[in-house]
């Protein structure tokens, strides 16, 4: 689905729909169909365009602390239930207050801010403040999904990465506010130092189910669930196979082998699993089965009677394989075993790899 599938969409700013000149954004086009574009004519105030952020692999609008965009008044955004979704990160900074999306100045109408004074993501409705503790450190933070879910005259809930961070039923917080032109990256204290990838705003009130769908849509877009791909069959040879997800970078990795790297090398048949944590803090798990069709079977333990011997022959797969040697250096594929011997053997393929 797309965000337009739900009624009440008022604004949809996506990093892939911008007007760019000399690396700067002069217009951010509204994809909602309502023509609520935002723009900037002054060259020095135009934010920068990055066509592929190295963390989320999508285009973003980069604000350096002195830039912003401005749009016209969005009709009926002020006196109805409101849902706002913002994908944004924050650079290291100081100061008091930076805007993400705002109408009017601080504590005048409505705004969604990065508030350095408290290091919190903050929503203001009129002169009321609702915020999420420990959500916007001044030394910078990675991309987050920040949500405002205001049910008019009832409650306002703030979410960080789809986790409830704060709630209020204060009359001012949940009431109407004076409408006006909107701005991106602006506050009357400081401009934003950070990047914004996407902003979606609805009025009328999304159901809890649909709010979850939009949140999942955005998080899956910027941090897709882990996918190790289809199971693999290795038709010939014993060489290492590289396994892993090369689509996205994750915050952490844990393989069933105990490895904690993005990719691993395997040369044995088996089921391999990987658990990752994405930039939104979600855990994702996937498995892949690797089948070496010419793998060497394990030797079976054998009881040898006292003063007797046992003849054993190394199994060499059919095709272009050659016996290498036993673990004790014996180069004859057929040998005799005595008591209390622990051995293994190896086979070479024509690719320069050895199977055990």
């Amino acid at each position: 689905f797309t965000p337009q599938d739900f009624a009440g969409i008022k604004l949809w700013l996506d990093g892939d729909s911008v007007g760019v000149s000399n690396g700067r954004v002069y217009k951010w086009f509204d994809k909602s169909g309502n023509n609520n574009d935002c723009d900037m004519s002054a060259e020095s105030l135009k934010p920068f365009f990055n066509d592929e952020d190295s963390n989320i692999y999508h285009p973003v609008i980069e604000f350096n602390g002195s830039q912003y965009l401005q749009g016209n008044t969005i009709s009926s955004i002020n006196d109805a239930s409101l849902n706002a979704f913002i994908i944004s990160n924050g650079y290291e900074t100081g100061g008091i207050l930076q805007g993400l999306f705002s109408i009017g100045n601080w504590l005048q109408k409505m705004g969604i801010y990065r508030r350095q004074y408290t290091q919190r993501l903050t929503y203001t409705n009129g002169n009321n403040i609702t915020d999420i503790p420990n959500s916007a450190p001044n030394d910078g933070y990675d991309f987050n999904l920040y949500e405002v879910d205001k049910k008019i005259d009832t409650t306002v809930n703030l979410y960080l990465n789809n986790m409830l961070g704060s709630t209020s039923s204060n009359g001012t917080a949940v009431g109407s506010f004076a409408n006006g032109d909107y701005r991106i990256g602006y506050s009357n204290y400081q401009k934003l130092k950070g990047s914004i990838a996407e902003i979606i705003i609805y009025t009328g009130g999304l159901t809890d189910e649909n709010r979850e769908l939009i949140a999942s849509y955005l998080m899956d877009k910027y941090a897709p669930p882990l996918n190790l791909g289809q199971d693999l069959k290795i038709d010939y040879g014993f060489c290492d196979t590289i396994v892993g997800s090369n689509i996205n970078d994750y915050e952490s990795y844990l393989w069933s082998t105990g490895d904690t790297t993005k990719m691993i090398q395997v040369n044995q048949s088996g089921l391999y699993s990987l658990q990752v944590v994405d930039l939104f803090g979600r855990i994702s798990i996937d498995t892949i089965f690797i089948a070496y069709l010419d793998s060497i079977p394990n030797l079976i333990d054998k009881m040898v009677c006292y003063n007797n011997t046992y003849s054993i022959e190394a199994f060499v797969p059919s095709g272009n394989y050659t016996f290498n040697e036993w673990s004790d250096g014996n180069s004859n594929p057929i040998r005799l075993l005595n008591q209390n011997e622990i051995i293994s053997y190896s086979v070479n393929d024509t690719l320069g790899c050895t199977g055990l």
Side-chain angles (χ1 to χ4, degrees), residues 249-263:
D249 291 320
Y250 295 95
E251 301 300 297
S252 66
Y253 301 82
L254 180 60
W255 289 89
S256 52
T257 59
D259 293 289
T260 56
T261 54
K262 181 177 180 179
M263 317 286 283

Side-chain angles (χ1 to χ4, degrees), residues 34-61:
N34 296 308
N35 299 315
N36 288 317
D37 307 335
C38 57
D39 53 32
M40 176 53 66
S41 58
E43 187 68 20
S44 63
L45 300 182
K46 295 175 182 176
F48 298 107
F49 179 67
N50 182 349
D51 64 355
E52 185 177 270
D53 181 89
S54 60
N55 289 319
I56 58 175
Y57 303 97
H58 282 273
V60 299
I61 317 303

